[in-house]
Amino acid sequence: MVQYVVEWLPRINRIAVVVDGWERVQIKSVEGTLLSIFGDDGQREDISLPVEVEENVNKPYEFEKGRNDLEHIVKIRSKCSEKYDNSIMSLPDGKWTKRDLCLDPEFSIECLQCKQKVISKENCRVLNNMPSEFWMELMDYWHCHKPDVGETKSASYSQYETLEPSENEILIGSSFFQGTPATFKDAVVVKDSAMLLCKNCSVVLGLTTAGPLYKLYKWKLRLLRNGMTYEFPPELDVVLSLISVVKANSCRYALIKSGGKRLLVWIFSFDIGVTLTGNKQLKRSMKLLYTDNATTISHCLERQNTEELDTQETTFHAFYSSLQKVNALLPSNMKVMGEWSISYVSLVE
């Protein structure tokens, strides 16, 4: 079985194609966003490229041998994209943001299981995006004179440790909604002073936080907007946290934790175009290296600046599973790099 991976590196306008599984590979044609190749016995594979190729008037492209007899590599020049922004801050902010929801004033958010309305015009008068999850750490940079309401530092910051939305105001985080108990009084009930259950079907939708405020997970909900229904993949919670890490402090290593489980992720590159075996396309993606090996994790924590991310069990397993599924689609020599496994995750479209 032939496997392949295509990487578009927009910063250098290069498309790298790696094909594995045939002894010989011949290019039939490369035009626009389509690469057609032939295998040993005339097998044909049409590979969709992330972007258009630049016309090659000097010589035709040819595959070269890779690290074994069944691996073949070709590098193709892509057309320059004037619209491409390679800055870190151009990475997407999330999904179901204030901008997304304001596209339809009649939108509603429902329980994913029973379809009961949780957020709609009945209990939502104001929408506001949450600040970065690192907002408390950045207070020193926001104020020429730090807020002072007492003699000690702990007291001076106490009134800023939580956000205080008004009733019927929804705060929108990367993967959650937050509001006052009064805002959600007709949609959820509290169990054991912490868990928030759907008032209709009793499925867990979120938890209580300091304040107290109610925090509802987007992956437990669905969005109805302009006649269309949308769901929020649980693994996106971790992906958006990784984007926040890159944006906030340019950190490239993250230790993702859930209970006793740990997964170390190395953000190898971001905002690249990828095509995987079976023409699975990721228009905007991050290339991630990952490991759950305790020794490798320990060594990395000693040498590298690493952000630690605590996640829910559901999102941790969904994210780990998505990495493994993509890894299985890669050519054999592209699955690992030293002690690390290789994968790709899609950024928010």
Side-chain angles (χ1 to χ4, degrees), residues 53 81 89 109-110 127 131 134 200 260 320 329 334:
V53 302
S81 176
M89 298 312 294
I109 306 288
E110 300 179 347
L127 289 170
F134 304 102
N200 185 56
Y320 200 174
L329 297 175
M334 301 293 291

Side-chain angles (χ1 to χ4, degrees), residues 63-76:
F63 276 94
E64 298 178 355
K65 284 287 186 181
R67 286 170 285 182
N68 60 47
D69 291 338
L70 298 181
E71 184 182 71
H72 309 271
I73 302 171
V74 65
K75 295 180 181 179
I76 303 171

Side-chain angles (χ1 to χ4, degrees), residues 185 259 263:
K185 65 181 184 296
L263 182 69

Side-chain angles (χ1 to χ4, degrees), residues 192-312:
D192 299 332
S193 301
M195 290 189 297
L196 299 176
L197 310 184
C198 172
K199 202 169 187 178
N200 185 56
C201 69
S202 297
V203 70
V204 177
L205 296 181
L207 48 77
T208 60
T209 66
L213 295 176
Y214 286 3
K215 182 177 183 179
L216 305 180
Y217 302 128
K218 291 181 181 179
W219 68 86
K220 291 284 191 176
L221 306 166
R222 72 171 193 168
L223 167 65
L224 275 69
R225 189 187 68 199
N226 294 323
M228 300 290 290
T229 303
Y230 304 90
E231 294 185 9
F232 191 95
E235 61 269 21
L236 193 54
D237 171 51
V238 181
V239 175
L240 293 173
S241 293
L242 293 177
I243 292 176
S244 294
V245 165
V246 174
K247 279 186 169 184
N249 53 23
S250 297
C251 182
R252 292 301 184 96
Y253 293 87
L255 182 63
I256 303 167
K257 301 182 294 182
S258 177
K261 296 181 173 61
R262 302 195 302 169
L263 182 69
L264 181 64
V265 172
W266 177 4
I267 304 169
F268 197 74
S269 58
F270 60 87
D271 222 351
I272 63 175
V274 174
T275 302
L276 304 166
T277 302
N279 275 327
K280 176 180 174 63
Q281 285 196 295
L282 308 177
K283 294 291 187 181
R284 300 183 68 186
S285 69
M286 287 193 294
K287 184 175 185 177
L288 303 179
L289 276 58
Y290 65 97
T291 181
D292 59 4
N293 180 275
T295 301
T296 304
I297 292 175
S298 177
H299 288 168
C300 189
L301 292 178
E302 292 174 0
R303 299 192 300 264
Q304 302 291 345
N305 177 30
T306 305
E307 191 74 38
E308 297 191 14
L309 301 173
D310 289 307
T311 63
Q312 298 289 316

Side-chain angles (χ1 to χ4, degrees), residues 104-118:
D104 177 14
E106 300 296 318
F107 82 91
S108 65
I109 306 288
E110 300 179 347
C111 169
L112 184 60
Q113 178 162 298
C114 72
K115 314 305 182 281
Q116 176 196 239
K117 283 187 179 181
V118 176

Side-chain angles (χ1 to χ4, degrees), residues 91-109:
L91 293 174
D93 294 322
K95 192 174 182 179
W96 303 1
T97 61
K98 178 180 178 179
R99 178 183 296 177
D100 294 336
L101 300 183
C102 287
L103 293 175
D104 177 14
E106 300 296 318
F107 82 91
S108 65
I109 306 288

Side-chain angles (χ1 to χ4, degrees), residues 33-48:
T33 60
L34 186 66
L35 170 65
S36 296
I37 60 176
F38 283 135
D40 307 328
D41 302 316
Q43 309 100 311
R44 175 171 172 167
E45 192 77 27
D46 293 327
I47 301 175
S48 296

